[in-house]
Amino acid sequence: MSRYENPYRGMRREPGFPDLWFGRIPGTVVDDTVVCCSYFIDERRRIIVCDIIATLSLPV
């Protein structure tokens, strides 16, 4: 799956931040950790900007 195809799939909008999306990266669960990312989507300019990539403990 590519974020170019659908940047919203499997993600959720973060409350209080109009264009910030957060979610797990599919296929990255190892033991009790998962890789997650957050990014801003500027629909008007058609730009996605990565905010952070991190490993987090489950559940997320």
Side-chain angles (χ1 to χ4, degrees):
M1 182 174 77
S2 169
R3 294 291 162 210
Y4 291 113
E5 294 166 8
N6 184 348
Y8 306 100
R9 185 174 180 190
M11 306 300 276
R12 70 171 191 252
R13 188 183 294 247
E14 286 298 306
F17 298 91
D19 299 324
L20 184 61
W21 292 79
F22 172 84
R24 296 179 183 185
I25 298 175
T28 62
V29 177
V30 175
D31 297 325
D32 289 333
T33 61
V34 64
V35 179
C36 296
C37 67
S38 65
Y39 48 82
F40 292 92
I41 299 175
D42 183 339
E43 291 181 348
R44 192 181 99 255
R45 297 183 338 186
R46 300 180 54 99
I47 295 173
I48 297 173
V49 178
C50 179
D51 181 50
I52 193 166
I53 296 174
T55 55
L56 301 175
S57 297
L58 292 174
V60 175

